[in-house]
Amino acid sequence: MASMQEQNWDLESGDCIQKETSSSSQTPSSSILSSSFLRRRPNQERPPVGMFKQFLNNLRLVFLGTKLCVLIPAIPLAILGQCYGFMTRQQWIFALSLLGLAPLAERMSFLTEQIAYFTGPTVGGLLNATCGNATELILALFALRERKILVLKYSLLGSVLSNLLLVLGSSLFLGGLANLKMEQTFDRKQADVNSLLLLLGLLCHVLPLIFGNSVEPQLLDDMDQNSVVWLSRTSGILMLVAYGAYLFFQLRTHRQFFEAEGEDEDELSENEAVIGFWSAFIWLVAMTIIVAILSEYVVGTIEAASDSWKISVSFISLILLPIVGNAAEHAGSVIFALKNKLDITLGVALGSATQISMFVVPVSVIVAWTMGIPMDLDFGLLETSCLGFSIILTAFTLQDGNSHYIKGVVLCLSYAVIAACFFFHKMPASESLYQR
């Protein structure tokens, strides 16, 4: 069918509008479907008309439209506890703020997708590509403001490792168990593109590491250290160029590599705007402000949580923060794997890892440059080795275009080994959080 009539209710005016859409636009991308199964299906009746009723309807859709809404009470508790001081122990502020970030991350993704429906496929794809990991970016910016460079590096590295090993591994494992009697296959083209970009990002981490260790420590002077920083800044710019080329490749020239195929009618019916453009925009701004507040609490109380729980800052930053931040993506990826839709699962896990590695990390370096902070891409020997082995292991796992549960077992156990390593890896004195 070349085209079809589509009937929607405009929530801004309450009018019924009909628009004609081509069948090619009915195929949703994995970025749009990434967390749709976490959302409750909205009622299909005519939406209420009137400012107050419209506000209540949008409030219900935004805050109660996700299965993670049970964690939303943690948000006001964290804010009230910090502002009025009725929580004397800072570790509880950290825990509540961390829990509150999980539903906010999913809701920001939902609101970005709602805006994307009104902006066209290209602009919408750019919005999803740039705002898909907004929570990690905001958290990184607050860590930069506090000069906690190691917390920033560990949290971004942990997000990449979590997506590559934990999210993808658990999806392949559970999807393999749920589909034991059928072969799980996927298109290798998308995985190959993401693997190439992740290897390029790895190269940009390895070179500053080797460069900084090519000189004897006693002979290392300020000029050599400054050269590492400038090499990292140059690499960051080139990484952003590569990410821009990736977006052009994904959204313009080879969009078919990243489109999700074979969706049923129920899934397609869910992929239409349920709130208006300006409503989504205003709610997105409000969510961003709340995420910024909670991110500031997390960065400010991470040492108190580490001291109280006797857990190293490196483990909290590299393991706990990414697990909570990726909770929505994790659940969505697993659900798609259970439905034997591995192309969408790969789009969620690999796409998010690529975005953090090739966009959020270099943006952090560039922003640090504008703030006069000498942040480099040298994440350390242990950390860079974990990243390199994770990328190579994931690439080997996806090289043949099919999957079974043992591949998921290997990826999950690899993540467990890395988590155990950083559990026993004690961060040096707290002053070292502000440098490297």
Side-chain angles (χ1 to χ4, degrees), residues 292-311:
I293 294 173
L294 295 185
S295 298
E296 184 178 15
Y297 294 168
V298 168
V299 173
T301 58
I302 189 170
E303 293 101 324
S306 175
D307 295 338
S308 175
W309 297 339
K310 307 302 180 184
I311 302 176

Side-chain angles (χ1 to χ4, degrees), residues 105 108-109 112 126-136 329 352 355:
M108 289 185 69
S109 175
T112 303
L126 287 172
L127 283 173
N128 282 295
T130 53
C131 300
N133 288 287
T135 305
E136 287 86 350
E329 291 177 342
S352 181
Q355 185 181 85

Side-chain angles (χ1 to χ4, degrees), residues 89-134:
R89 297 184 177 182
Q90 291 292 298
Q91 64 268 25
W92 295 116
I93 301 293
F94 174 84
L96 289 173
S97 301
L98 196 59
L99 291 176
L101 286 175
L104 288 176
E106 194 277 333
R107 291 289 85 188
M108 289 185 69
S109 175
F110 163 74
L111 292 170
T112 303
E113 292 166 9
Q114 295 301 303
I115 294 175
Y117 290 121
F118 297 93
T119 57
T122 302
V123 177
L126 287 172
L127 283 173
N128 282 295
T130 53
C131 300
N133 288 287

Side-chain angles (χ1 to χ4, degrees), residues 13-80:
S13 61
D15 297 329
C16 175
I17 52 176
Q18 288 185 343
K19 59 181 180 178
E20 190 168 318
T21 55
S22 63
S23 59
S24 61
S25 64
Q26 296 300 310
T27 305
S29 64
S30 58
S31 60
I32 292 179
L33 290 170
S34 60
S35 55
S36 61
F37 283 99
L38 283 177
R39 299 168 191 159
R40 296 174 178 172
R41 187 188 298 270
N43 294 329
Q44 299 298 320
E45 69 269 9
R46 182 186 179 95
V49 181
M51 292 291 292
F52 183 68
K53 289 184 178 180
Q54 178 183 332
F55 173 76
L56 291 179
N57 183 66
N58 289 345
L59 192 68
R60 175 182 60 83
L61 290 172
V62 171
F63 285 99
L64 301 180
T66 173
K67 297 175 183 177
L68 295 176
C69 63
V70 294
L71 298 178
I72 289 180
I75 301 172
L77 287 176
I79 296 176
L80 292 175

Side-chain angles (χ1 to χ4, degrees), residues 33-231:
L33 290 170
S34 60
S35 55
S36 61
F37 283 99
L38 283 177
R39 299 168 191 159
R40 296 174 178 172
R41 187 188 298 270
N43 294 329
Q44 299 298 320
E45 69 269 9
R46 182 186 179 95
V49 181
M51 292 291 292
F52 183 68
K53 289 184 178 180
Q54 178 183 332
F55 173 76
L56 291 179
N57 183 66
N58 289 345
L59 192 68
R60 175 182 60 83
L61 290 172
V62 171
F63 285 99
L64 301 180
T66 173
K67 297 175 183 177
L68 295 176
C69 63
V70 294
L71 298 178
I72 289 180
I75 301 172
L77 287 176
I79 296 176
L80 292 175
Q82 180 70 16
C83 293
Y84 295 99
F86 66 82
M87 289 187 183
T88 57
R89 297 184 177 182
Q90 291 292 298
Q91 64 268 25
W92 295 116
I93 301 293
F94 174 84
L96 289 173
S97 301
L98 196 59
L99 291 176
L101 286 175
L104 288 176
E106 194 277 333
R107 291 289 85 188
M108 289 185 69
S109 175
F110 163 74
L111 292 170
T112 303
E113 292 166 9
Q114 295 301 303
I115 294 175
Y117 290 121
F118 297 93
T119 57
T122 302
V123 177
L126 287 172
L127 283 173
N128 282 295
T130 53
C131 300
N133 288 287
T135 305
E136 287 86 350
L137 181 59
I138 294 172
L139 190 62
L141 295 178
F142 273 97
L144 269 180
R145 195 186 72 165
E146 297 294 329
R147 303 298 197 270
K148 296 182 179 181
I149 306 300
L150 277 182
V151 173
L152 185 157
K153 290 183 176 180
Y154 276 126
S155 64
L156 295 182
L157 174 63
S159 294
V160 177
L161 297 179
S162 174
N163 278 289
L164 291 180
L165 300 180
L166 181 62
V167 175
L168 183 59
S170 57
S171 299
L172 297 182
F173 172 65
L174 295 176
L177 291 180
N179 299 275
L180 280 175
K181 296 184 179 180
M182 63 179 66
E183 182 181 12
Q184 287 195 295
T185 61
F186 55 87
D187 191 350
R188 288 179 48 194
K189 299 184 184 70
Q190 180 183 175
D192 290 342
V193 173
N194 284 283
S195 297
L196 286 174
L197 285 170
L198 289 170
L199 287 172
L200 175 59
L202 175 63
L203 177 65
C204 293
H205 288 290
V206 169
L207 290 181
L209 173 65
I210 297 176
F211 190 95
N213 288 277
S214 61
V215 182
E216 294 294 331
Q218 60 271 19
L219 301 178
L220 188 67
D221 54 21
D222 293 336
M223 182 177 296
D224 293 318
Q225 292 180 340
N226 196 45
S227 298
V228 174
V229 174
W230 279 105
L231 172 60

